[in-house]
Structures are given as C-alpha cells and as structure tokens.
C-alpha cells in the first residue's frame, strides 16, 4: 500500500502506511519515523508511531501542512522497500505466578495448558513493540502465541503494581507504572522500566523478550533496582 | 519563596504549555487547557510563555502568599480579592508577604489562570511542569492541589518587590492598555461567550469512514457538552454521526482537538490530557486557535462546528500568536 497522508488539524500530519498489525507495515512505520526524525524538517515538534501510521506533530507558526506533506511524501516513497533490521532486543526478567501473577492459573485453565507450558509459550517469542501509549512506557506488543489469547477481566483491577506482565485479549504487555487495568496478570518484573529522570529502555520498533526468574531472583533484583 | 494553598477549589493543578517531545514514549501532553489565557497571564507580568501557572476550575483558589509576589489572573473572570480588597483580572498585581488572595466562582467560563512572576517552581518532568492527573506524574506530586499544599516560587520576595517597582515605574510613563488586554481577542469572548460558539475544524484523518450525511450533519447540527467533560476530553451529545463500517480503527496518534466518534455515534473532543493514541475513527480535528474557547465551555452549553481547510487553520493559529505579540508590544 502507498503511504497516504492526511491533515490532523493545523498541527499534525498522519502518514498511514497500512491497514493491519503486521511486521512489514510496522517496518515501514519504524523506517519512516527514523527518516522523518533524521531529516530534521523545520517546524516538526515530535513524531508518534502507532501500529500502521506515523503522526508528525508540527508547530503551525513555523511550517504548514502542504510544506510538510511535500517533504514527507518522498521520504515515505523511499522508505517503502526498506526492511527494518534490528532494533534492540530488551530482555525483561519476569517472576511468573503466585502473588506476582495472580491470573496465571486462570490463563492456563482457559488455554487448557499447564502453568509451566503457559510460561514456556509466553517466554518463547521476541515480541515486537509496535507503539507505546496508554501509560508512559506501556508497550503494545505483537507476536503473542494464539493459544494464550485470553479475554480481559470482567471487573478491571483498580490498582495493578508497576512491572506487572499480563495478557489482554490478543495482546501481551507490561505495566511500567502502577495503574488500574483489566489485563490478566501472569507475573511481574523487578526492573524499574519507568523512571522520571532517565529514558525508557525501549522504543517502538524494538523487541521484548521475557525470561522466567524465581521469587528469590526477583527479590534480589528488586533490591538492586530499588523497586521493593 | 512559596505560596500556601488554603482552598484550591474543585480542581486546581500546576500547568505550563505541556510536555512536548515524548508522546512517542506514551507521555500525555497535558498543559493549560486554555493555553491562550495561560500565555496571557505570563505575558502580563513579564514571565516566559511556558512558565508554570495554576489552572483552576469554576472556583478558587484561596491562597496565602508566604513571600511577596507579582501575579496576574486571566481566563474565566470571577470576583477576586486580595486581603479583602477587590482586584481585577488581566492586570499585573502585587501581593505583600502574608497576603491572602481569594478568587470566587467564575461568572462565566470555566477555567481561570494564576501566574506568579518567575513561575511555580515545581520540578520539571521531561521538560514540563504540567500535572498529568491520569498518570499521577509531574506538577505538584502528580495530583490536584489540596488545602495546605505549599508551592515553591522561583523568585524571592525581595526580587518580586523590585520587579513590581520596575513595573510601576514603567506604567507611569506608559499606562497599561487595560481594555486592549482585557477584551483583546480572548478566543472565547470572540466567539460570543455563552452564545453558540462556532468551532472551526479540519476534516479528520478518518473522515471517509463516515457517511457523507454524517459529515453534513456534523457542521449543521448543534452539540451540547455533557456532564462527562474533564481535562481529558469533552463528550458531546447531538445528532448521531454514522460510520460506513464501524467506528473502531487501528489505534493511531491523536492530538488536542481530535474529534473521536465512539460506537454510539456521539463526538468526543480530546483536550490537553488526552491519551497519545486512540482507537476510534476521527471525523474532524478542532483547530488549535479554537481550543482555548472550547476549554472555557461548561457542561450543558451548546457548540456548532464549521469546516475549514488546513491552510486557514494554520492562518488562524498565526493570527492568534500575532495578537498575543501585539498585546506584549503594547505593554510597558
């Protein structure tokens, strides 16, 4: 699909690279994002990548839609064929089950699998980060094993601890900060993913790999991270 | 160098012009809902446009200046007193150490702004002092102000007194163009205040997801603000906007002013605290020059929409910036 450009009021341009959640479309978005950032176009304030689109926010005092569209169109045409190799793979240690993941048993039962098999299947993929949103650092990940698809909780929790790893429908992810939420919680990472004074350890286009750890390892890492 | 909140009113937060450059990480922009009023308040006392101010809602605040300060009030006008004596909106004012400022209920409009010379000196997060109420980040302890909160100021009482002397000296030579400043093009007043404000909008990125009739209806119908309006969004109620094939889309980036339409066909206009992405089709985007007016409307009030193209929307934003610049140049 050709990348299509749309105005977003007087301060945004939306470049739509596809219509589905797909690695190839994600690659186009990531590549276009990199190209737009590298081009340092006058008046561009920031970019927001999503599943299949890139929002380019601009300052209307310094540029306008037509000028920006004329600059973004050739970038989009050039990035069309380019494969996105790489991005970082960030490993996130997770203590599964127990108080760390109160819904592991439910997810296992729903999938007709043992808890061990759920953990094995959840830690197998390198999940692609399509976008961050909902909360600072909350990654929307692609690549969850369909056997683990689980409906959200009927009654969302009012407080989910920071670091919780869960499944919501066809997606998996990690809560970087404490929040209300309706996802099924499988476990928790002791890593402090969000800290006000340092950048996030990952960005859209990167991959996340979960690895299982024991409660003793969790406590040791949590002490080191200061998240206890 | 501080002020003490005696009574914040229903919802008072520390805001500046918002958190920019980290939406890709999932940070909401936040910032003053009526950013014209916030800029004007800062401009009146010699602040930078992006200095942190207090945004109140409907009523308040009541505060005590622990140290002397130069301040200004803008936005929705209310009766205000300093140690019992009436003080005007839209003018630089001096508060001696220990004095009490009481701002009553807004006669119309919704949000008032209190700027203090040098700005509210809470610690910035990702380059902004704005409060993110939804994520409990930034501003003062990531929350709305409560009675007893003590907010740090950037300037000492001595510095404020000297700044006030300087302002007074300049005013003798060059009196404040009060009327220009007061009525000077506040976007909300220009739209007629409580009469039917006409919000200009650019066709949204998913405008084609709606029926041609829905796009007609959007600019011919009258929509009312429901009670479900806050800093995150204004939920409106009016004629149903039908989509061709449903209102769910793959989530994409949204901006302040994006008009999402959820499954019930009713529009939701996103405000300063909106999430960075959204999964409903967007029929329109309200232009940035008209968002300050929308931020001053109360639940129950009616609005209408009018289509403009992006070029006219950009021109409107530039006219509004030029107006603030003119006001600045006319100040002493």
């Amino acid at each position: 699909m050709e990348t299509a450009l749309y105005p977003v009021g007087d301060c945004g341009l939306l470049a739509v690279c596809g219509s589905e959640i797909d690695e190839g479309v994600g690659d186009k978005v990531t590549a276009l994002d990199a190209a737009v950032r590298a081009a340092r176009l006058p008046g561009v304030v920031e970019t927001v990548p999503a599943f299949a689109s890139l929002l380019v926010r601009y300052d209307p005092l310094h540029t306008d839609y037509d000028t920006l569209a004329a600059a973004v169109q050739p970038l989009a045409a050039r990035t069309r064929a380019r494969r996105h190799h790489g991005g970082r793979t960030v490993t996130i240690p997770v203590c599964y089950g127990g108080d760390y993941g109160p819904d592991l048993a439910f997810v296992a039962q729903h999938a007709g699998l043992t808890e061990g098999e759920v953990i094995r299947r959840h830690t197998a993929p390198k999940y692609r980060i399509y976008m961050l949103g909902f909360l600072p650092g909350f990654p929307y990940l692609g690549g969850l094993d369909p056997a683990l698809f689980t409906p959200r909780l009927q009654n969302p929790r009012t407080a989910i601890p920071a670091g919780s790893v869960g499944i919501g429908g066809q997606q998996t992810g990690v809560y970087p900060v404490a929040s209300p939420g309706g996802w099924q919680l499988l476990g928790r990472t002791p890593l402090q993913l969000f800290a006000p004074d340092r950048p996030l350890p990952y960005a859209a286009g990167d991959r996340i790999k979960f690895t299982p750890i024991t409660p003793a390892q969790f406590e040791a890492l949590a002490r080191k991270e200061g998240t206890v | 160098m501080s002020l003490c909140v005696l009574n914040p009113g229903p919802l008072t937060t520390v805001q500046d012009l918002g958190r920019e450059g980290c939406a890709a990480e999932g940070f909401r922009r936040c910032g003053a809902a009526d950013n014209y009023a916030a800029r004007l308040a800062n401009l009146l006392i010699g602040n930078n446009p992006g200095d942190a101010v207090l945004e109140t809602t409907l009523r308040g605040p009541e505060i005590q200046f622990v140290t002397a300060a130069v301040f200004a009030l803008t936005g929705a006008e209310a009766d205000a007193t300093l140690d019992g004596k009436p003080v005007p909106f839209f003018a630089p004012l001096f508060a001696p150490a220990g004095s009490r400022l009481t701002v009553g209920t807004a006669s119309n409009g919704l949000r008032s702004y209190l700027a203090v010379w040098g700005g509210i000196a809470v610690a910035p997060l990702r380059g902004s002092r704005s409060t993110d109420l939804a994520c409990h980040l930034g501003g003062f302890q990531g929350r709305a102000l409560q009675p007893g909160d003590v907010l740090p100021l950037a300037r000492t009482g001595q510095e404020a007194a000297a700044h006030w002397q300087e302002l007074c000296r300049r005013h003798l030579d060059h009196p404040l163009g009060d009327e220009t400043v007061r009525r000077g093009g506040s976007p909300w007043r220009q739209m007629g205040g409580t009469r039917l404000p006409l919000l200009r909008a650019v066709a949204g990125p998913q405008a084609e997801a709606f029926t041609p009739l829905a796009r007609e209806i959007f600019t011919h119908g009258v929509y009312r603000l429901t009670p479900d309006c806050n800093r995150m969004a204004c939920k409106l109620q009016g004629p149903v906007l039908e989509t061709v094939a449903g209102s769910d889309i793959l989530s994409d980036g949204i901006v302040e002013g994006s008009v999402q339409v959820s499954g019930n066909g009713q529009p939701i206009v996103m405000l300063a605290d909106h999430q960075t992405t959204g999964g409903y089709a967007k029929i329109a985007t309200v232009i940035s020059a008209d968002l300050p007016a929308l931020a001053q409307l109360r639940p129950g009030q009616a609005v209408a929409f009018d289509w403009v193209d992006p070029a006219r929307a950009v021109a409107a934003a530039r006219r509004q910036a030029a107006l603030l610049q003119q006001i600045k140049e006319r100040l002493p």
Side-chain angles (χ1 to χ4, degrees), chain B residues 206 209-211 214 218 223 226 228 233-249 254 258-270 278-284:
Chain B
Q206 289 89 32
F210 294 83
T211 63
F218 182 66
Y223 288 88
T226 68
D228 205 0
C234 273
K235 289 193 180 173
L236 306 181
Q237 184 151 33
V240 167
L241 302 168
E242 283 189 358
T243 54
V244 178
S247 58
D248 288 357
I249 59 159
I254 56 180
S258 284
V259 185
Q260 296 194 323
V261 179
S262 61
N264 64 5
Q266 298 295 331
I268 305 167
V269 190
M270 307 314 290
Y280 292 125
K282 293 170 281 294
I283 192 170

Side-chain angles (χ1 to χ4, degrees), chain B residues 83-150:
Chain B
D83 280 341
K85 294 189 199 86
V87 289
F89 270 58
F90 304 102
L93 298 161
F94 180 72
S99 59
R100 272 185 189 214
L101 173 70
T102 304
V103 182
T105 301
S107 50
N108 48 33
L110 186 62
R111 296 180 167 103
S112 306
Y113 294 85
L114 167 67
V116 180
W117 183 58
I120 307 291
V122 295
L125 168 69
R126 290 288 201 277
S128 166
R129 295 184 167 84
S130 288
T131 311
D132 182 337
L133 289 171
C135 300
H136 312 289
L137 294 170
F140 184 81
Q141 298 181 4
R143 60 165 171 79
L145 298 182
Q146 296 169 1
D149 286 344
V150 175

Side-chain angles (χ1 to χ4, degrees), chain A residues 29-218:
Chain A
V29 174
T30 306
L32 180 59
D33 188 14
V36 169
R37 286 171 187 247
R40 297 183 164 278
L41 304 171
V44 169
V45 171
E46 62 186 323
T47 57
V48 188
F51 288 115
S53 64
L54 182 72
L55 172 66
V56 182
R57 283 199 52 243
Y58 63 88
D59 180 347
L61 304 187
H62 291 111
T63 188
D64 58 36
Y65 178 76
D66 288 343
T67 308
L68 201 57
V72 171
Q73 193 68 69
L75 294 177
R78 235 178 297 151
T79 51
R80 191 187 316 158
R82 198 192 295 165
R83 281 285 303 167
H84 172 65
H85 294 291
R88 297 163 291 181
T89 296
V90 178
T91 301
I92 296 182
V94 178
C95 186
Y96 285 88
D99 288 346
Y100 304 98
D103 303 320
L104 176 63
F106 179 83
V107 172
Q109 191 193 1
H110 184 267
L113 299 170
T114 63
E115 293 186 9
E117 183 61 12
V118 169
I119 295 169
R120 196 192 66 74
R121 287 179 187 240
H122 191 254
T123 50
K126 285 182 178 175
Y127 298 105
R128 184 201 172 92
I129 304 177
Y130 281 98
M131 63 184 211
L132 305 180
F134 171 52
L135 297 168
F138 187 93
Y140 286 83
L141 302 176
L144 179 65
D145 187 328
L148 301 184
F149 293 176
T150 318
R152 284 156 217 250
L153 296 178
Q154 297 216 330
N155 292 311
R157 291 185 172 90
T158 52
I160 287 178
S164 293
V165 172
I167 289 175
Q170 307 188 9
Q171 292 185 359
T172 185
V174 52
Y175 286 80
V177 293
S179 158
W183 286 27
Q184 307 277 358
L185 305 182
L186 299 182
R188 203 190 312 163
T189 178
L191 297 188
Q192 188 182 10
L193 299 174
F194 172 80
D197 51 354
R198 63 167 198 237
L200 292 166
Y202 45 71
D206 292 341
R207 285 169 195 280
I208 284 181
K209 176 95 166 72
F210 296 113
T211 65
I213 55 170
T214 64
Q217 288 171 310
F218 182 100

Side-chain angles (χ1 to χ4, degrees), chain B:
Chain B
M1 297 147 72
S2 61
L3 64 81
C4 180
V5 178
L6 304 175
N7 183 350
L11 178 69
T12 297
T13 53
V14 177
Q15 299 293 345
D16 56 20
L17 299 179
R19 203 157 270 119
E20 201 159 82
C22 47
E25 294 177 80
F27 283 89
R28 295 161 193 244
R29 185 179 169 83
C30 307
D34 178 350
N35 74 59
Y36 180 94
R39 286 172 202 266
L40 181 59
N42 277 328
L43 183 156
L44 287 171
I45 53 175
N47 274 358
N48 294 315
D51 282 340
V53 301
L54 296 188
E55 176 184 287
T56 63
T57 314
L58 200 60
R59 179 164 46 80
E62 190 179 344
I63 59 170
Q64 182 158 38
F65 290 96
V66 178
T67 42
V70 175
F71 71 98
L73 294 161
T74 62
E77 286 180 74
D79 288 335
T81 59
L82 187 66
D83 280 341
K85 294 189 199 86
V87 289
F89 270 58
F90 304 102
L93 298 161
F94 180 72
S99 59
R100 272 185 189 214
L101 173 70
T102 304
V103 182
T105 301
S107 50
N108 48 33
L110 186 62
R111 296 180 167 103
S112 306
Y113 294 85
L114 167 67
V116 180
W117 183 58
I120 307 291
V122 295
L125 168 69
R126 290 288 201 277
S128 166
R129 295 184 167 84
S130 288
T131 311
D132 182 337
L133 289 171
C135 300
H136 312 289
L137 294 170
F140 184 81
Q141 298 181 4
R143 60 165 171 79
L145 298 182
Q146 296 169 1
D149 286 344
V150 175
L151 302 183
L153 300 177
R155 301 289 190 163
T156 65
Q158 262 181 337
E159 286 173 322
H163 181 64
W164 180 246
Q165 290 300 319
E166 174 64 15
L167 282 179
C168 291
R169 193 184 58 73
R170 280 190 270 160
H171 281 215
L172 282 180
D173 303 337
H174 193 131
L176 185 67
D178 201 36
E179 198 60 14
T180 311
V181 173
R182 281 174 68 93
R183 309 291 167 203
S186 149
W188 168 63
R189 289 195 175 282
Q190 284 201 330
M191 271 181 208
T194 53
R195 293 205 306 279
L196 183 69
L198 190 61
L199 302 173
R200 291 165 290 180
V202 175
Q206 289 89 32
E208 284 160 28
F210 294 83
T211 63
L213 181 63
R215 282 177 270 164
E216 284 278 312
I217 287 172
F218 182 66
T219 51
H220 287 83
V222 170
Y223 288 88
R224 269 181 205 288
L225 279 75
T226 68
D228 205 0
C229 291
N230 53 34
R231 281 186 40 88
M232 219 180 289
C234 273
K235 289 193 180 173
L236 306 181
Q237 184 151 33
V240 167
L241 302 168
E242 283 189 358
T243 54
V244 178
S247 58
D248 288 357
I249 59 159
L250 264 188
S251 289
D252 62 12
I254 56 180
V255 299
E256 203 175 340
S258 284
V259 185
Q260 296 194 323
V261 179
S262 61
N264 64 5
Q266 298 295 331
I268 305 167
V269 190
M270 307 314 290
L271 295 188
D273 285 0
H274 67 82
Q275 292 191 18
T276 53
T277 57
Y280 292 125
K282 293 170 281 294
I283 192 170
T285 313
V286 175
I287 71 172
S288 60
D290 289 353
L291 291 172
L294 176 60
Q296 291 296 357
L297 300 180
R298 297 181 182 184
Q301 282 186 247
V303 290
F305 296 93
D306 190 20
W307 294 122
V308 290
D309 62 30
R312 278 180 62 201
V314 164
R318 291 179 180 175
R319 270 199 306 278
Q320 197 169 83
L323 185 68
L324 277 171
Q325 185 59 32
Q326 279 170 22
I327 292 173
K328 187 178 176 184
E329 282 162 10
R330 284 186 207 174
L331 287 175

